[in-house]
Amino acid sequence: RGGGEGEEGEEEGAVDVFEGGGDPEPVAELLGVRVLPRYEVAQRVASYARGAGLQDAGDRRLFRCDKALGEALGVEEFTLASVQKAIAARIVKWEDCGDEALKEEAVRIEERLLGEKAAKYEM
């Protein structure tokens, strides 16, 4: 689960669904989205953290969670390398999701990503 774009064993176009952290799911609530391409999950969390001024001034790789992010992730601080581990229990592959509407949204996103990838290689 989780992982970044291009990491070994990860599919670039894979789409995940936030599930398993309750309803509403805390990370999804914080980010405002329940379905994301896998590579975008850590990017969105980091973007939220940067926008909230949570990046450590002394160590730019480190983010210190505010109350909302800390409660959502279950950690006090994280790095981009460790954020995937923090959210791994909260995401599932779209195929394993129990919500049909979220599955349909994930399929649309995955089809779009695969189409974009195919178009990129046709050039």
Side-chain angles (χ1 to χ4, degrees):
R1 291 196 188 168
E5 183 175 15
E7 285 188 21
E8 188 176 326
E10 295 296 339
E11 299 170 42
E12 195 170 296
V15 177
D16 289 318
V17 177
F18 285 102
E19 200 175 71
D23 194 25
E25 203 295 318
V27 178
E29 179 100 346
L30 190 70
L31 300 178
V33 66
R34 295 272 315 248
V35 181
L36 281 174
R38 184 168 300 159
Y39 67 87
E40 230 178 277
V41 174
Q43 290 174 352
R44 292 274 186 112
V45 171
S47 179
Y48 168 86
R50 285 186 187 106
L54 304 177
Q55 194 167 17
D56 187 89
D59 182 355
R60 305 292 291 167
R61 297 172 298 162
L62 184 65
F63 295 88
R64 301 197 188 279
C65 296
D66 59 12
K67 183 176 174 151
L69 187 57
E71 288 176 0
L73 295 178
V75 297
E76 294 179 11
E77 60 186 34
F78 66 91
T79 63
L80 290 180
S82 70
V83 73
Q84 291 294 343
K85 184 176 180 181
I87 61 173
R90 301 184 184 284
I91 59 175
V92 296
K93 291 181 181 179
W94 70 264
E95 297 95 335
D96 299 329
C97 176
D99 184 314
E100 289 302 316
L102 292 176
K103 274 186 178 180
E104 290 174 15
E105 183 180 350
V107 168
R108 285 192 301 273
I109 291 171
E110 190 162 83
E111 287 172 350
R112 178 183 51 84
L113 290 172
L114 293 174
E116 289 171 1
K117 186 176 180 180
K120 177 179 167 183
Y121 290 109
E122 288 176 2
M123 297 180 144

